[in-house]
Every structure is written in C-alpha cells, then in structure tokens.
Amino acid sequence: MTSPSSSSRFTNPPKSDDICDRCGAPSTWADEWTKNLSWKDSMRLHITTYLTSPRMWPVGYIIASPYSPLHVERQIPARNWRDSFEDLLALESGGQMIRPDSRKKEAEAAARFKVQSLHDSVSAVNKQLERDDKYMKLLQRMLKHAISRNDRNSISVIENIAMPSQRRGSEQMVADGKCMIATLKEIKMDLPASSYKMRGQWITSLVSSGALQGWQAQLYDSADGFEVGLSKTSNPPEDPQGNPDGQQFTELELQQLCEEGKPLEIGSPAWSTARGQYPSIDQNDTNISDAIRHDNIRLPTIRPSILTQLTTTERTTLPDGSITTKVVLKNSFTDDKVEEKVIIDDAVRGLEEVDKAHTSMRDRKLAVSAAAQEMSYEMQRVPLELSEGTNDVDY
C-alpha cells in the first residue's frame, strides 16, 4: 500500500502501550510516527495501518498484503490463487470448499457474461462514432458559415479547438473499440469464473459465496467506474456505538494499486451513488444546465436504473451436516424503487444478478452521455439554422 519512496519510513512505528483498538496505531502516532511525513503520506500510512490491523481481516489482507491473491496472481499467473484463497476462507469460517460442479457452472456463465459485455461495449463504441460523425458534419457547416461571414474568432475556435478535439475523441474511441475486438478474439472460454471477474467484483463474490462470514458488500457506481464497499455486519464488543469496520474503493483504485503500486488514498470520485448521486443530463454539461434554467429546455426521459446493490448472506447448517448459504441481494433504483432477490446455493444466478446491476449502471451512463450530446448538438444546430436562414438540415 505504501509508495516505494516512503515504505522504509512506514514500517517501524514507535513503541507505545496505548494503541488504538480500531487500527492499531499508537497514541503518539500523529506526533511521532508521522511528524516527518507529508499530509498525503500520513493519510496513506493511516489507511495501510487500518487495513493490516486484525479487525480488518481478511478484507484488509486481500487489498493491502503483497501475498494477497490480487497481487500474487500478477507475479505467478499460472496458478488459480483466487479460488484457493476463497476455499481457505470458507474453511476458516466453518464452511465448506466450493464444489467443483458449482465452480464449473459459474465459470461457463461468467465467460458468457464477459463476452456479452464486450459485445455491448463494441456496440456502444459504434453508436458513439455515429454521433461523433454527425457532430463533425455540424462543425463543418458551422465553419463554412463562419467563413462566409468572415467571423475570424469562430473560424479559429472551430479549426483549432473544436475539430481537433472531436477528432482526438473519435480516434481514442476507435482505438478502444479495436482493443475490445482483439480481446474478444483472444478470450479463453475455459477459465475459472474468478478470472473473468473484476477485482472488486471478485471480493464481493466472496461475500455471496459465504466465504466472508460477518461481512456485507455494496456495489455502487461512480465517476471512476464501479465502486465497492465492504463492511462488517456488526460492531465489535469494545466499540458498540461506532461505525462497523470496512473499506470502500473503486475498481480503478484497485487496478492502480495492483498494476501500478499506487496506494489507496483519502478522497472520493467526482460523483458516486454511495453519496446518493448518479449521472444526470443536466449535471453532464454546464451549458445544458444553463439552458434548462433559462430556456425551459425539456430533458429526455432516462429509464430508472440501479443505484446500489447490497449483498448479505446467511449460512445454515442442516440436520445432515451439510451447509446452505442464503444470499439476499437488495437493489435500490433511481426512482426510489427497492427490490429484493433471495438466492440459495446458486452461484450462477447470483452472478447473473450482479451482472444485471453492472449492466444497468453502465447503460445509464451511456444513455445520459448520448442524451447530453444530442442536446448539445441541438443547442448549436438551431442557432446555426436561424443564422443561415434555412431549415434544410443535414442530419
């Protein structure tokens, strides 16, 4: 969790008999342990200390330890570290290892969902390129009109800012699409289910499989992609009134931590459904927001989507000694609707419900982006037509 330049300073806290029961830091932590650190490094140290404390086992270990499956798999990719660690957690908590037939069925479903997600993403790229082409044609019309009026300022803005920016965006979109298509061509369909899961998604699945007893998981969406919150379902006896132990992070933060060594930091995305925020058209573009207030422009309707998905589990030992796990998924929607799904010993259905939540969140962002772009297009097209004195529009 610590940066290479700072790790040597973070590993030897001063001795103290008075330590925090939540994170394990000494009472003199602020004065002694962090006195030579910047505020940013001291916050990184605080997060690291908290994650590696016994109270945060095993979630803190999964995130922070260099021996976590998320870190070891990058060094030794030939082994299935995720599934092995899940089985160890299940046994440690008094459960049973995941049955091979269950893992096989989940793997087949996970591969299908991964392929479908990539196909959907390629389709979204193609639709965005169509909108980009439409907007580029509008810019060309605007440039032609500016030239006819000898409007040097507009000519400069269109030629030097608007058009180059539009081209760069389209070029990046094409590059992203090519990467997705390459991934589709190379994807293997016989991998374990955990291999198809994003890092945060895999940690969440440890809750739904029953391996993380005493923990609950919540899926959010944010400006930085999917966000996951892991928290204990109850407080420890020594801290009955405090907030339950836990940690929140985005998939982007986990990616940067595991692939670039960038530590988790204090801070939050620009918006997050964890804070009751979600993508909306007027928030997507300040010009649109102004037009709504001053010009009475009506927003297109975006269908309700999932804001958050809470996962909790209950393990039951049957008279014959076998163990069953009940998973409760609670979806909260943007229109205040709440739905509950109860799943018993069915990893495939659980994976399917999580995939639906991911799809719902992703589709909303795409719909909001498309609607905002369309409104921005219209806000420029209409004045151009009035100035041109014609209604003959090339869509």
mmCIF file of all heavy atoms in Angstrom, residues 216-264:
data_model
loop_
_atom_site.group_PDB
_atom_site.id
_atom_site.type_symbol
_atom_site.label_atom_id
_atom_site.label_comp_id
_atom_site.label_asym_id
_atom_site.label_seq_id
_atom_site.Cartn_x
_atom_site.Cartn_y
_atom_site.Cartn_z
ATOM 1 N N GLN A 216 -20.693 -7.737 4.684
ATOM 2 C CA GLN A 216 -21.646 -7.465 3.631
ATOM 3 C C GLN A 216 -20.963 -6.594 2.579
ATOM 4 O O GLN A 216 -19.957 -5.935 2.855
ATOM 5 C CB GLN A 216 -22.893 -6.764 4.174
ATOM 6 C CG GLN A 216 -22.622 -5.391 4.774
ATOM 7 C CD GLN A 216 -23.895 -4.768 5.349
ATOM 8 O OE1 GLN A 216 -24.887 -5.441 5.560
ATOM 9 N NE2 GLN A 216 -23.860 -3.456 5.590
ATOM 10 N N ALA A 217 -21.491 -6.656 1.363
ATOM 11 C CA ALA A 217 -20.891 -5.906 0.257
ATOM 12 C C ALA A 217 -21.940 -5.031 -0.399
ATOM 13 O O ALA A 217 -23.109 -5.412 -0.495
ATOM 14 C CB ALA A 217 -20.289 -6.871 -0.770
ATOM 15 N N GLN A 218 -21.519 -3.868 -0.844
ATOM 16 C CA GLN A 218 -22.435 -2.975 -1.545
ATOM 17 C C GLN A 218 -21.760 -2.491 -2.826
ATOM 18 O O GLN A 218 -20.618 -2.022 -2.822
ATOM 19 C CB GLN A 218 -22.819 -1.782 -0.673
ATOM 20 C CG GLN A 218 -23.960 -0.961 -1.238
ATOM 21 C CD GLN A 218 -25.028 -0.638 -0.197
ATOM 22 O OE1 GLN A 218 -24.834 -0.887 0.984
ATOM 23 N NE2 GLN A 218 -26.159 -0.099 -0.611
ATOM 24 N N LEU A 219 -22.476 -2.633 -3.923
ATOM 25 C CA LEU A 219 -21.999 -2.185 -5.225
ATOM 26 C C LEU A 219 -22.578 -0.815 -5.521
ATOM 27 O O LEU A 219 -23.776 -0.587 -5.378
ATOM 28 C CB LEU A 219 -22.423 -3.178 -6.316
ATOM 29 C CG LEU A 219 -22.172 -2.754 -7.767
ATOM 30 C CD1 LEU A 219 -20.682 -2.661 -8.053
ATOM 31 C CD2 LEU A 219 -22.846 -3.735 -8.728
ATOM 32 N N TYR A 220 -21.705 0.112 -5.936
ATOM 33 C CA TYR A 220 -22.112 1.453 -6.330
ATOM 34 C C TYR A 220 -21.565 1.738 -7.729
ATOM 35 O O TYR A 220 -20.749 0.987 -8.269
ATOM 36 C CB TYR A 220 -21.545 2.504 -5.368
ATOM 37 C CG TYR A 220 -21.836 2.288 -3.908
ATOM 38 C CD1 TYR A 220 -20.869 1.739 -3.057
ATOM 39 C CD2 TYR A 220 -23.053 2.664 -3.355
ATOM 40 C CE1 TYR A 220 -21.124 1.558 -1.703
ATOM 41 C CE2 TYR A 220 -23.311 2.493 -1.996
ATOM 42 C CZ TYR A 220 -22.341 1.943 -1.180
ATOM 43 O OH TYR A 220 -22.584 1.761 0.163
ATOM 44 N N ASP A 221 -21.988 2.882 -8.271
ATOM 45 C CA ASP A 221 -21.381 3.397 -9.488
ATOM 46 C C ASP A 221 -20.767 4.749 -9.155
ATOM 47 O O ASP A 221 -21.183 5.408 -8.198
ATOM 48 C CB ASP A 221 -22.427 3.545 -10.597
ATOM 49 C CG ASP A 221 -21.798 3.680 -11.977
ATOM 50 O OD1 ASP A 221 -20.571 3.446 -12.089
ATOM 51 O OD2 ASP A 221 -22.508 4.014 -12.935
ATOM 52 N N SER A 222 -19.770 5.157 -9.927
ATOM 53 C CA SER A 222 -19.108 6.428 -9.641
ATOM 54 C C SER A 222 -18.486 6.984 -10.902
ATOM 55 O O SER A 222 -18.474 6.338 -11.959
ATOM 56 C CB SER A 222 -18.018 6.236 -8.576
ATOM 57 O OG SER A 222 -16.837 5.684 -9.144
ATOM 58 N N ALA A 223 -17.954 8.187 -10.791
ATOM 59 C CA ALA A 223 -17.277 8.824 -11.924
ATOM 60 C C ALA A 223 -16.047 8.032 -12.338
ATOM 61 O O ALA A 223 -15.588 8.145 -13.479
ATOM 62 C CB ALA A 223 -16.887 10.254 -11.556
ATOM 63 N N ASP A 224 -15.506 7.218 -11.424
ATOM 64 C CA ASP A 224 -14.321 6.407 -11.716
ATOM 65 C C ASP A 224 -14.678 4.946 -11.961
ATOM 66 O O ASP A 224 -13.834 4.063 -11.829
ATOM 67 C CB ASP A 224 -13.319 6.497 -10.558
ATOM 68 C CG ASP A 224 -12.716 7.887 -10.426
ATOM 69 O OD1 ASP A 224 -12.731 8.629 -11.425
ATOM 70 O OD2 ASP A 224 -12.237 8.231 -9.332
ATOM 71 N N GLY A 225 -15.924 4.669 -12.305
ATOM 72 C CA GLY A 225 -16.339 3.305 -12.573
ATOM 73 C C GLY A 225 -16.994 2.676 -11.359
ATOM 74 O O GLY A 225 -17.363 3.351 -10.394
ATOM 75 N N PHE A 226 -17.155 1.359 -11.394
ATOM 76 C CA PHE A 226 -17.830 0.665 -10.302
ATOM 77 C C PHE A 226 -17.072 0.851 -8.989
ATOM 78 O O PHE A 226 -15.845 0.849 -8.956
ATOM 79 C CB PHE A 226 -17.970 -0.818 -10.616
ATOM 80 C CG PHE A 226 -18.780 -1.090 -11.851
ATOM 81 C CD1 PHE A 226 -18.238 -1.787 -12.918
ATOM 82 C CD2 PHE A 226 -20.083 -0.632 -11.962
ATOM 83 C CE1 PHE A 226 -18.977 -2.031 -14.065
ATOM 84 C CE2 PHE A 226 -20.836 -0.866 -13.101
ATOM 85 C CZ PHE A 226 -20.279 -1.568 -14.149
ATOM 86 N N GLU A 227 -17.851 0.992 -7.916
ATOM 87 C CA GLU A 227 -17.290 1.211 -6.585
ATOM 88 C C GLU A 227 -17.846 0.133 -5.650
ATOM 89 O O GLU A 227 -19.018 -0.237 -5.759
ATOM 90 C CB GLU A 227 -17.671 2.608 -6.088
ATOM 91 C CG GLU A 227 -17.016 3.017 -4.791
ATOM 92 C CD GLU A 227 -17.298 4.485 -4.442
ATOM 93 O OE1 GLU A 227 -18.088 5.131 -5.157
ATOM 94 O OE2 GLU A 227 -16.727 4.963 -3.451
ATOM 95 N N VAL A 228 -17.010 -0.359 -4.771
ATOM 96 C CA VAL A 228 -17.396 -1.439 -3.863
ATOM 97 C C VAL A 228 -17.172 -1.001 -2.422
ATOM 98 O O VAL A 228 -16.139 -0.410 -2.105
ATOM 99 C CB VAL A 228 -16.583 -2.724 -4.149
ATOM 100 C CG1 VAL A 228 -16.892 -3.792 -3.113
ATOM 101 C CG2 VAL A 228 -16.874 -3.241 -5.546
ATOM 102 N N GLY A 229 -18.151 -1.291 -1.573
ATOM 103 C CA GLY A 229 -17.997 -1.048 -0.147
ATOM 104 C C GLY A 229 -18.133 -2.360 0.606
ATOM 105 O O GLY A 229 -19.138 -3.051 0.470
ATOM 106 N N LEU A 230 -17.117 -2.726 1.370
ATOM 107 C CA LEU A 230 -17.149 -3.926 2.213
ATOM 108 C C LEU A 230 -17.215 -3.476 3.662
ATOM 109 O O LEU A 230 -16.416 -2.631 4.089
ATOM 110 C CB LEU A 230 -15.892 -4.775 2.015
ATOM 111 C CG LEU A 230 -15.821 -5.801 0.872
ATOM 112 C CD1 LEU A 230 -16.827 -6.902 1.088
ATOM 113 C CD2 LEU A 230 -16.009 -5.148 -0.466
ATOM 114 N N SER A 231 -18.148 -3.997 4.418
ATOM 115 C CA SER A 231 -18.251 -3.621 5.827
ATOM 116 C C SER A 231 -18.744 -4.808 6.641
ATOM 117 O O SER A 231 -19.437 -5.688 6.138
ATOM 118 C CB SER A 231 -19.203 -2.437 6.016
ATOM 119 O OG SER A 231 -20.514 -2.768 5.590
ATOM 120 N N LYS A 232 -18.373 -4.809 7.906
ATOM 121 C CA LYS A 232 -18.841 -5.854 8.800
ATOM 122 C C LYS A 232 -20.312 -5.622 9.124
ATOM 123 O O LYS A 232 -20.809 -4.492 9.106
ATOM 124 C CB LYS A 232 -17.999 -5.877 10.083
ATOM 125 C CG LYS A 232 -16.581 -6.394 9.853
ATOM 126 C CD LYS A 232 -15.842 -6.572 11.161
ATOM 127 C CE LYS A 232 -14.470 -7.188 10.935
ATOM 128 N NZ LYS A 232 -13.716 -7.365 12.194
ATOM 129 N N THR A 233 -21.001 -6.697 9.427
ATOM 130 C CA THR A 233 -22.438 -6.599 9.681
ATOM 131 C C THR A 233 -22.742 -6.173 11.113
ATOM 132 O O THR A 233 -23.892 -5.890 11.441
ATOM 133 C CB THR A 233 -23.127 -7.943 9.400
ATOM 134 O OG1 THR A 233 -22.470 -8.975 10.156
ATOM 135 C CG2 THR A 233 -23.032 -8.287 7.922
ATOM 136 N N SER A 234 -21.718 -6.120 11.976
ATOM 137 C CA SER A 234 -21.938 -5.697 13.365
ATOM 138 C C SER A 234 -20.658 -5.087 13.906
ATOM 139 O O SER A 234 -19.565 -5.280 13.361
ATOM 140 C CB SER A 234 -22.360 -6.878 14.238
ATOM 141 O OG SER A 234 -21.350 -7.873 14.259
ATOM 142 N N ASN A 235 -20.776 -4.341 14.991
ATOM 143 C CA ASN A 235 -19.630 -3.732 15.649
ATOM 144 C C ASN A 235 -19.012 -4.696 16.649
ATOM 145 O O ASN A 235 -19.718 -5.540 17.215
ATOM 146 C CB ASN A 235 -20.051 -2.459 16.389
ATOM 147 C CG ASN A 235 -20.456 -1.352 15.443
ATOM 148 O OD1 ASN A 235 -19.896 -1.226 14.361
ATOM 149 N ND2 ASN A 235 -21.430 -0.551 15.848
ATOM 150 N N PRO A 236 -17.713 -4.568 16.916
ATOM 151 C CA PRO A 236 -17.089 -5.401 17.949
ATOM 152 C C PRO A 236 -17.559 -4.964 19.334
ATOM 153 O O PRO A 236 -18.013 -3.827 19.518
ATOM 154 C CB PRO A 236 -15.590 -5.128 17.749
ATOM 155 C CG PRO A 236 -15.539 -3.765 17.137
ATOM 156 C CD PRO A 236 -16.746 -3.673 16.257
ATOM 157 N N PRO A 237 -17.481 -5.841 20.335
ATOM 158 C CA PRO A 237 -17.954 -5.514 21.694
ATOM 159 C C PRO A 237 -17.304 -4.261 22.265
ATOM 160 O O PRO A 237 -17.944 -3.508 23.002
ATOM 161 C CB PRO A 237 -17.579 -6.758 22.507
ATOM 162 C CG PRO A 237 -17.492 -7.860 21.489
ATOM 163 C CD PRO A 237 -16.987 -7.213 20.237
ATOM 164 N N GLU A 238 -16.011 -4.023 21.937
ATOM 165 C CA GLU A 238 -15.307 -2.880 22.517
ATOM 166 C C GLU A 238 -15.699 -1.552 21.855
ATOM 167 O O GLU A 238 -15.295 -0.486 22.315
ATOM 168 C CB GLU A 238 -13.791 -3.088 22.421
ATOM 169 C CG GLU A 238 -13.236 -3.114 21.004
ATOM 170 C CD GLU A 238 -13.223 -4.509 20.415
ATOM 171 O OE1 GLU A 238 -13.979 -5.370 20.907
ATOM 172 O OE2 GLU A 238 -12.444 -4.726 19.470
ATOM 173 N N ASP A 239 -16.461 -1.608 20.773
ATOM 174 C CA ASP A 239 -16.838 -0.372 20.081
ATOM 175 C C ASP A 239 -18.287 -0.478 19.602
ATOM 176 O O ASP A 239 -18.567 -0.401 18.406
ATOM 177 C CB ASP A 239 -15.880 -0.145 18.901
ATOM 178 C CG ASP A 239 -16.064 1.236 18.267
ATOM 179 O OD1 ASP A 239 -16.665 2.108 18.915
ATOM 180 O OD2 ASP A 239 -15.614 1.423 17.127
ATOM 181 N N PRO A 240 -19.238 -0.645 20.532
ATOM 182 C CA PRO A 240 -20.621 -0.928 20.132
ATOM 183 C C PRO A 240 -21.329 0.238 19.445
ATOM 184 O O PRO A 240 -22.284 0.030 18.706
ATOM 185 C CB PRO A 240 -21.310 -1.276 21.453
ATOM 186 C CG PRO A 240 -20.495 -0.566 22.488
ATOM 187 C CD PRO A 240 -19.088 -0.593 21.991
ATOM 188 N N GLN A 241 -20.892 1.462 19.675
ATOM 189 C CA GLN A 241 -21.578 2.630 19.129
ATOM 190 C C GLN A 241 -20.919 3.178 17.864
ATOM 191 O O GLN A 241 -21.470 4.079 17.230
ATOM 192 C CB GLN A 241 -21.610 3.746 20.190
ATOM 193 C CG GLN A 241 -22.296 3.343 21.491
ATOM 194 C CD GLN A 241 -23.721 2.891 21.272
ATOM 195 O OE1 GLN A 241 -24.455 3.457 20.465
ATOM 196 N NE2 GLN A 241 -24.125 1.848 21.998
ATOM 197 N N GLY A 242 -19.765 2.677 17.512
ATOM 198 C CA GLY A 242 -19.055 3.215 16.352
ATOM 199 C C GLY A 242 -19.569 2.657 15.039
ATOM 200 O O GLY A 242 -20.493 1.837 15.000
ATOM 201 N N ASN A 243 -18.975 3.117 13.963
ATOM 202 C CA ASN A 243 -19.317 2.580 12.653
ATOM 203 C C ASN A 243 -18.650 1.218 12.467
ATOM 204 O O ASN A 243 -17.511 1.018 12.900
ATOM 205 C CB ASN A 243 -18.844 3.526 11.546
ATOM 206 C CG ASN A 243 -19.583 4.841 11.556
ATOM 207 O OD1 ASN A 243 -20.786 4.873 11.818
ATOM 208 N ND2 ASN A 243 -18.878 5.923 11.296
ATOM 209 N N PRO A 244 -19.320 0.283 11.817
ATOM 210 C CA PRO A 244 -18.698 -1.024 11.566
ATOM 211 C C PRO A 244 -17.418 -0.870 10.743
ATOM 212 O O PRO A 244 -17.309 0.040 9.906
ATOM 213 C CB PRO A 244 -19.780 -1.773 10.770
ATOM 214 C CG PRO A 244 -21.054 -1.092 11.113
ATOM 215 C CD PRO A 244 -20.705 0.351 11.322
ATOM 216 N N ASP A 245 -16.457 -1.746 10.998
ATOM 217 C CA ASP A 245 -15.229 -1.718 10.216
ATOM 218 C C ASP A 245 -15.532 -1.977 8.750
ATOM 219 O O ASP A 245 -16.448 -2.743 8.415
ATOM 220 C CB ASP A 245 -14.255 -2.795 10.720
ATOM 221 C CG ASP A 245 -13.700 -2.442 12.078
ATOM 222 O OD1 ASP A 245 -13.117 -1.360 12.206
ATOM 223 O OD2 ASP A 245 -13.869 -3.253 13.015
ATOM 224 N N GLY A 246 -14.751 -1.383 7.875
ATOM 225 C CA GLY A 246 -14.958 -1.594 6.451
ATOM 226 C C GLY A 246 -14.057 -0.719 5.607
ATOM 227 O O GLY A 246 -13.279 0.094 6.124
ATOM 228 N N GLN A 247 -14.158 -0.892 4.313
ATOM 229 C CA GLN A 247 -13.356 -0.113 3.375
ATOM 230 C C GLN A 247 -14.116 0.025 2.066
ATOM 231 O O GLN A 247 -14.809 -0.902 1.634
ATOM 232 C CB GLN A 247 -11.996 -0.791 3.112
ATOM 233 C CG GLN A 247 -11.076 -0.028 2.187
ATOM 234 C CD GLN A 247 -10.609 1.292 2.782
ATOM 235 O OE1 GLN A 247 -10.410 1.399 3.992
ATOM 236 N NE2 GLN A 247 -10.460 2.301 1.950
ATOM 237 N N GLN A 248 -13.991 1.188 1.456
ATOM 238 C CA GLN A 248 -14.642 1.458 0.184
ATOM 239 C C GLN A 248 -13.580 1.787 -0.846
ATOM 240 O O GLN A 248 -12.587 2.454 -0.547
ATOM 241 C CB GLN A 248 -15.612 2.632 0.344
ATOM 242 C CG GLN A 248 -16.724 2.657 -0.684
ATOM 243 C CD GLN A 248 -17.926 3.432 -0.179
ATOM 244 O OE1 GLN A 248 -18.485 3.099 0.862
ATOM 245 N NE2 GLN A 248 -18.311 4.458 -0.908
ATOM 246 N N PHE A 249 -13.784 1.331 -2.089
ATOM 247 C CA PHE A 249 -12.798 1.564 -3.136
ATOM 248 C C PHE A 249 -13.463 1.379 -4.494
ATOM 249 O O PHE A 249 -14.475 0.690 -4.623
ATOM 250 C CB PHE A 249 -11.616 0.588 -3.007
ATOM 251 C CG PHE A 249 -12.038 -0.824 -2.721
ATOM 252 C CD1 PHE A 249 -12.450 -1.674 -3.735
ATOM 253 C CD2 PHE A 249 -12.057 -1.306 -1.422
ATOM 254 C CE1 PHE A 249 -12.869 -2.964 -3.469
ATOM 255 C CE2 PHE A 249 -12.480 -2.598 -1.134
ATOM 256 C CZ PHE A 249 -12.880 -3.436 -2.169
ATOM 257 N N THR A 250 -12.881 1.992 -5.503
ATOM 258 C CA THR A 250 -13.373 1.812 -6.871
ATOM 259 C C THR A 250 -12.543 0.746 -7.576
ATOM 260 O O THR A 250 -11.415 0.444 -7.158
ATOM 261 C CB THR A 250 -13.280 3.124 -7.671
ATOM 262 O OG1 THR A 250 -11.902 3.500 -7.809
ATOM 263 C CG2 THR A 250 -14.033 4.252 -6.976
ATOM 264 N N GLU A 251 -13.098 0.223 -8.657
ATOM 265 C CA GLU A 251 -12.330 -0.737 -9.457
ATOM 266 C C GLU A 251 -11.061 -0.073 -9.996
ATOM 267 O O GLU A 251 -10.012 -0.721 -10.104
ATOM 268 C CB GLU A 251 -13.186 -1.255 -10.622
ATOM 269 C CG GLU A 251 -14.340 -2.159 -10.217
ATOM 270 C CD GLU A 251 -13.895 -3.556 -9.801
ATOM 271 O OE1 GLU A 251 -12.683 -3.853 -9.873
ATOM 272 O OE2 GLU A 251 -14.775 -4.358 -9.405
ATOM 273 N N LEU A 252 -11.145 1.210 -10.322
ATOM 274 C CA LEU A 252 -9.973 1.928 -10.825
ATOM 275 C C LEU A 252 -8.882 1.989 -9.766
ATOM 276 O O LEU A 252 -7.698 1.790 -10.067
ATOM 277 C CB LEU A 252 -10.370 3.335 -11.256
ATOM 278 C CG LEU A 252 -9.222 4.241 -11.740
ATOM 279 C CD1 LEU A 252 -8.557 3.643 -12.973
ATOM 280 C CD2 LEU A 252 -9.734 5.655 -12.032
ATOM 281 N N GLU A 253 -9.267 2.239 -8.518
ATOM 282 C CA GLU A 253 -8.272 2.296 -7.447
ATOM 283 C C GLU A 253 -7.587 0.942 -7.259
ATOM 284 O O GLU A 253 -6.363 0.877 -7.056
ATOM 285 C CB GLU A 253 -8.931 2.735 -6.141
ATOM 286 C CG GLU A 253 -9.301 4.201 -6.099
ATOM 287 C CD GLU A 253 -10.026 4.589 -4.824
ATOM 288 O OE1 GLU A 253 -10.967 3.866 -4.431
ATOM 289 O OE2 GLU A 253 -9.651 5.617 -4.222
ATOM 290 N N LEU A 254 -8.364 -0.145 -7.319
ATOM 291 C CA LEU A 254 -7.764 -1.475 -7.190
ATOM 292 C C LEU A 254 -6.835 -1.777 -8.360
ATOM 293 O O LEU A 254 -5.771 -2.378 -8.191
ATOM 294 C CB LEU A 254 -8.857 -2.544 -7.113
ATOM 295 C CG LEU A 254 -9.576 -2.721 -5.781
ATOM 296 C CD1 LEU A 254 -10.564 -3.871 -5.870
ATOM 297 C CD2 LEU A 254 -8.590 -2.960 -4.643
ATOM 298 N N GLN A 255 -7.230 -1.358 -9.555
ATOM 299 C CA GLN A 255 -6.382 -1.568 -10.721
ATOM 300 C C GLN A 255 -5.052 -0.828 -10.560
ATOM 301 O O GLN A 255 -3.973 -1.385 -10.803
ATOM 302 C CB GLN A 255 -7.088 -1.077 -11.977
ATOM 303 C CG GLN A 255 -6.231 -1.185 -13.246
ATOM 304 C CD GLN A 255 -6.928 -0.596 -14.465
ATOM 305 O OE1 GLN A 255 -8.140 -0.478 -14.510
ATOM 306 N NE2 GLN A 255 -6.155 -0.202 -15.453
ATOM 307 N N GLN A 256 -5.120 0.428 -10.133
ATOM 308 C CA GLN A 256 -3.901 1.223 -9.960
ATOM 309 C C GLN A 256 -3.046 0.671 -8.830
ATOM 310 O O GLN A 256 -1.816 0.694 -8.912
ATOM 311 C CB GLN A 256 -4.277 2.680 -9.687
ATOM 312 C CG GLN A 256 -4.917 3.371 -10.880
ATOM 313 C CD GLN A 256 -5.423 4.766 -10.561
ATOM 314 O OE1 GLN A 256 -5.732 5.081 -9.408
ATOM 315 N NE2 GLN A 256 -5.508 5.611 -11.572
ATOM 316 N N LEU A 257 -3.691 0.154 -7.786
ATOM 317 C CA LEU A 257 -2.942 -0.431 -6.675
ATOM 318 C C LEU A 257 -2.204 -1.687 -7.112
ATOM 319 O O LEU A 257 -1.002 -1.850 -6.838
ATOM 320 C CB LEU A 257 -3.901 -0.754 -5.530
ATOM 321 C CG LEU A 257 -3.345 -1.584 -4.366
ATOM 322 C CD1 LEU A 257 -2.270 -0.800 -3.631
ATOM 323 C CD2 LEU A 257 -4.459 -1.999 -3.413
ATOM 324 N N CYS A 258 -2.893 -2.582 -7.812
ATOM 325 C CA CYS A 258 -2.311 -3.878 -8.174
ATOM 326 C C CYS A 258 -1.361 -3.788 -9.364
ATOM 327 O O CYS A 258 -0.378 -4.531 -9.425
ATOM 328 C CB CYS A 258 -3.421 -4.881 -8.485
ATOM 329 S SG CYS A 258 -4.467 -5.277 -7.069
ATOM 330 N N GLU A 259 -1.639 -2.909 -10.305
ATOM 331 C CA GLU A 259 -0.840 -2.854 -11.523
ATOM 332 C C GLU A 259 0.230 -1.771 -11.507
ATOM 333 O O GLU A 259 1.244 -1.883 -12.196
ATOM 334 C CB GLU A 259 -1.758 -2.647 -12.730
ATOM 335 C CG GLU A 259 -2.750 -3.786 -12.936
ATOM 336 C CD GLU A 259 -3.654 -3.581 -14.135
ATOM 337 O OE1 GLU A 259 -3.352 -2.685 -14.967
ATOM 338 O OE2 GLU A 259 -4.670 -4.304 -14.252
ATOM 339 N N GLU A 260 0.015 -0.717 -10.725
ATOM 340 C CA GLU A 260 0.958 0.396 -10.714
ATOM 341 C C GLU A 260 1.570 0.635 -9.339
ATOM 342 O O GLU A 260 2.480 1.447 -9.199
ATOM 343 C CB GLU A 260 0.268 1.681 -11.195
ATOM 344 C CG GLU A 260 -0.376 1.559 -12.573
ATOM 345 C CD GLU A 260 -1.252 2.757 -12.901
ATOM 346 O OE1 GLU A 260 -1.068 3.829 -12.260
ATOM 347 O OE2 GLU A 260 -2.125 2.637 -13.780
ATOM 348 N N GLY A 261 1.062 -0.050 -8.310
ATOM 349 C CA GLY A 261 1.579 0.145 -6.961
ATOM 350 C C GLY A 261 1.127 1.442 -6.325
ATOM 351 O O GLY A 261 1.707 1.898 -5.337
ATOM 352 N N LYS A 262 0.086 2.066 -6.864
ATOM 353 C CA LYS A 262 -0.395 3.333 -6.315
ATOM 354 C C LYS A 262 -1.252 3.047 -5.095
ATOM 355 O O LYS A 262 -2.267 2.364 -5.186
ATOM 356 C CB LYS A 262 -1.218 4.090 -7.357
ATOM 357 C CG LYS A 262 -1.725 5.436 -6.870
ATOM 358 C CD LYS A 262 -2.552 6.146 -7.928
ATOM 359 C CE LYS A 262 -3.093 7.462 -7.400
ATOM 360 N NZ LYS A 262 -3.938 8.155 -8.397
ATOM 361 N N PRO A 263 -0.901 3.589 -3.923
ATOM 362 C CA PRO A 263 -1.651 3.272 -2.695
ATOM 363 C C PRO A 263 -3.058 3.869 -2.721
ATOM 364 O O PRO A 263 -3.328 4.841 -3.424
ATOM 365 C CB PRO A 263 -0.811 3.939 -1.592
ATOM 366 C CG PRO A 263 0.505 4.250 -2.217
ATOM 367 C CD PRO A 263 0.247 4.457 -3.668
ATOM 368 N N LEU A 264 -3.956 3.246 -1.942
ATOM 369 C CA LEU A 264 -5.266 3.849 -1.733
ATOM 370 C C LEU A 264 -5.082 5.154 -0.969
ATOM 371 O O LEU A 264 -4.199 5.268 -0.117
ATOM 372 C CB LEU A 264 -6.168 2.917 -0.927
ATOM 373 C CG LEU A 264 -6.590 1.594 -1.573
ATOM 374 C CD1 LEU A 264 -7.547 0.852 -0.645
ATOM 375 C CD2 LEU A 264 -7.241 1.817 -2.917
#
